[in-house]
Amino acid sequence: MDLPNYFIIDTQPEAPLSPQLITEACRQLKRNRIQYLRDFPTAHTITLLAQLAENWQDALYPFRIKALKAGQQSTGFSPESLARGLDEFFARITEDSLHNLVTQELGDPRRLDAPLSTSEERSENRSAFARGPELIGHITAGNLPCPTLMSLIHGLLVGSAQFVKCAENAGFIPRLFAHSIYHTHAKLGSCIELARWSGGDDPLEKALFDEADCVMAVGRDETLEAIRTRLPNGKQFLSHGHRVSFGYIHKHCLSRAMARELAANAARDVAAWNQLGCLSPHVFYVECDGAVRPEQFAEMLSEAICQLEQTEPRGAISEAEAGDIAHRRSCYEIREAHTGDVRQWKSEDTTAWTVVFEEEPQFSASCMNRFVHVKSTSDIDATLRAAEMVRGQASTVGLAAPKNEAEEIVIKLAHWGVTRVCPIGQMQNPPVGWRHDGRPTLGDLVTWTDWEM
């Protein structure tokens, strides 16, 4: 790709990595932070990020053009899927949403610039100042680019230098985003570094862990545990492991017109980022006794996904992934032929999409890549019993329910362990103020200095 060598990742694979190189890069990032970022006003950072997000939505923006032109080869997502994913992500990054995020987390955006009091603190004649880590080390996963982009935005908001270790074959979009930051404001861009190497490379990761005062990691639970055991004492570790999501549709939302609209929205949730993220639905639970039966809803969903495939194709997947889909399809075909409680709809001659309906309500993990289950359920209590196997791992529930029923369902989901409930159709599109896995995003990053006057 025709990009200048601003970051280590730009020189790879030609230039070899070494622990010494990582150490020196980290130390240079810290020096750059003191010189350019630490005292950069938060309001200016917000304005810059919002403008950058606007640029990324412009069809003529050079970095967007590069992303869409070479994205399919580098990420596997079709240009249409990539364009939709990037548009939805960057549309959320506005001055208002970023101001609201910092206010939600810290009380006032100016508290990152100087000591400031809330009304409660003023009554006690004290104020507080929030500061981010000197250097954040990111260990990223390889499935979606958006979590890495959002982590970079969070780090810039709290004034931290950042070293991003990209997963193999997953640095394409983060690299372009980092270049766009550098192009917009070179001094802020010089507070970011990216490199890629295979996970578990002890010498390289030790060099990063030794220099970073906060390590953020996304990945499989066993990967996160391995990182945790290798961190030196005193290092802050923020991690996000494996999560699953599902949808729930109340019977009073199943008139034929409402069901058709819900199916279209559910199809968008399944197609977004090819269902590869933790926020993507594995299953849609549909209540019985509605005007549209769960099986009919599954058929509507299959029609909606089929239609979406025409305008937003899934793109190519690996042989192993295609083989997994083919194997699962065969299993369900056998069950469909011998029992009356299973039906399957699928794309012809490709593995592009699959919808499986089952009366049996037990949670089924999807193999992703637009393979989704629809299950019949009696109510939310029965649904949570059926999903007990993923209790503690659930992230998002896409919910369609009447207003007078929704609050009770949300409370039950929250007590069960769900950390986000949203409308169906928005599962892969969380707001900027979303508390990832129920935790504060900026609040977990900062350290406070209280001033008692």
Side-chain angles (χ1 to χ4, degrees):
M1 195 158 46
D2 181 24
L3 290 171
N5 291 340
Y6 292 153
F7 307 107
I8 292 173
I9 198 171
D10 297 324
T11 66
Q12 294 182 269
E14 290 79 11
L17 288 177
S18 68
Q20 293 75 17
L21 179 65
I22 302 300
T23 299
E24 181 47 42
C26 289
R27 292 176 181 174
Q28 184 61 50
L29 285 171
K30 294 178 190 178
R31 291 191 287 269
N32 291 349
R33 171 184 178 263
I34 292 172
Q35 195 165 2
Y36 305 129
L37 180 59
R38 187 185 66 182
D39 301 321
F40 196 73
T42 305
H44 292 185
T45 304
I46 287 175
T47 300
L48 184 147
L49 289 171
Q51 182 58 58
L52 191 64
E54 262 192 56
N55 292 343
W56 270 91
Q57 296 170 76
D58 184 341
L60 299 179
Y61 189 52
F63 293 104
R64 177 191 173 91
I65 292 173
K66 289 179 189 293
L68 299 186
K69 186 175 180 181
Q72 185 159 16
Q73 183 177 2
S74 300
T75 69
F77 298 112
S78 68
E80 295 84 357
S81 291
L82 200 51
R84 175 189 155 198
L86 292 175
D87 282 343
E88 290 186 343
F89 174 79
F90 284 113
R92 306 198 304 263
I93 312 298
T94 66
E95 287 203 47
D96 284 347
S97 70
L98 294 174
H99 271 289
N100 291 343
L101 168 65
V102 184
T103 303
Q104 169 187 295
E105 298 276 308
L106 308 179
D108 190 310
R110 295 170 297 172
R111 304 187 93 179
L112 286 159
D113 303 326
L116 203 72
S117 303
T118 62
S119 58
E120 293 81 8
E121 289 165 338
R122 267 194 300 279
S123 69
E124 297 178 344
N125 198 30
R126 61 190 178 90
S127 62
F129 171 68
R131 59 181 168 81
E134 186 178 14
L135 174 64
I136 300 172
H138 297 279
I139 307 294
T140 69
N143 44 3
L144 302 186
C146 292
T148 305
L149 307 191
M150 187 53 83
S151 293
L152 279 167
I153 289 171
H154 289 159
L156 287 172
L157 285 173
V158 298
S160 297
Q162 302 176 81
F163 191 114
V164 183
K165 180 267 175 191
C166 298
E168 287 286 353
N169 304 318
F172 176 72
I173 298 294
R175 180 185 172 198
L176 282 173
F177 184 58
H179 271 276
S180 71
I181 294 172
Y182 201 104
H183 184 263
T184 303
H185 198 293
K187 291 178 179 176
L188 261 58
S190 72
C191 298
I192 293 171
E193 183 60 272
L194 298 92
R196 64 169 177 266
W197 64 78
S198 298
D201 188 317
D202 278 352
L204 296 180
E205 289 176 4
K206 182 177 186 306
L208 176 58
F209 296 162
D210 284 345
E211 292 296 326
D213 45 343
C214 173
V215 174
M216 298 180 68
V218 177
R220 295 179 300 171
D221 294 342
E222 53 268 35
T223 302
L224 300 180
E225 187 54 33
I227 293 172
R228 187 191 306 277
T229 60
R230 289 161 49 212
L231 289 178
N233 289 336
K235 301 291 180 180
Q236 186 182 15
F237 183 48
L238 303 174
S239 63
H240 296 288
H242 175 65
R243 293 289 183 274
V244 297
S245 297
F246 60 88
Y248 183 83
I249 300 175
H250 191 279
K251 60 186 176 186
H252 290 163
C253 295
L254 288 169
S255 68
R256 181 155 287 277
M258 291 174 73
R260 186 71 68 184
E261 182 178 348
L262 280 172
N265 290 337
R268 289 177 61 80
D269 282 334
V270 173
W273 297 113
N274 289 347
Q275 207 186 359
L276 294 178
C278 291
L279 309 185
S280 296
H282 289 247
V283 181
F284 283 97
Y285 285 101
V286 182
E287 284 191 5
C288 307
D289 302 326
V292 169
R293 291 180 288 109
E295 183 178 341
Q296 291 175 302
F297 179 82
E299 186 167 13
M300 289 179 179
L301 177 58
S302 71
E303 292 166 359
I305 295 178
C306 179
Q307 189 173 0
L308 202 54
E309 177 69 17
Q310 308 308 310
T311 56
E312 194 181 311
R314 182 196 62 187
I317 58 176
S318 69
E319 288 185 15
E321 291 169 321
D324 192 8
I325 292 173
H327 173 70
R328 288 176 183 240
R329 283 179 168 184
S330 298
C331 292
Y332 284 110
E333 280 169 4
I334 293 170
R335 287 184 57 190
E336 186 177 9
H338 293 87
T339 67
D341 60 354
V342 174
R343 282 195 67 190
Q344 179 174 249
W345 297 263
K346 61 184 181 180
S347 52
E348 296 298 328
D349 303 323
T350 74
T351 59
W353 60 267
T354 310
V355 177
V356 175
F357 166 75
E358 291 174 279
E359 287 288 353
E360 198 281 316
Q362 187 173 21
F363 184 90
S364 295
S366 165
C367 57
M368 317 311 273
N369 287 305
R370 305 190 182 185
F371 190 114
V372 67
H373 299 266
V374 175
K375 289 177 177 273
S376 177
T377 188
S378 56
D379 56 33
I380 188 64
D381 295 319
T383 300
L384 296 182
R385 286 195 296 274
E388 184 64 24
M389 63 184 289
V390 293
R391 187 170 188 170
Q393 302 172 43
S395 169
T396 294
V397 170
L399 176 65
K403 284 183 181 177
N404 60 340
E405 303 274 358
E407 182 173 312
E408 184 180 350
I409 292 173
V410 170
I411 290 171
K412 287 184 177 182
L413 289 169
H415 283 304
W416 190 76
V418 172
T419 58
R420 176 176 171 246
V421 182
C422 69
I424 289 175
Q426 294 297 314
M427 295 181 70
Q428 268 292 355
N429 197 24
V432 170
W434 169 48
R435 297 174 177 88
H436 193 166
D437 292 344
R439 296 293 311 156
T441 48
L442 304 184
D444 269 353
L445 281 174
V446 302
T447 300
W448 290 94
T449 297
D450 287 314
W451 183 15
E452 300 159 23
M453 295 173 281

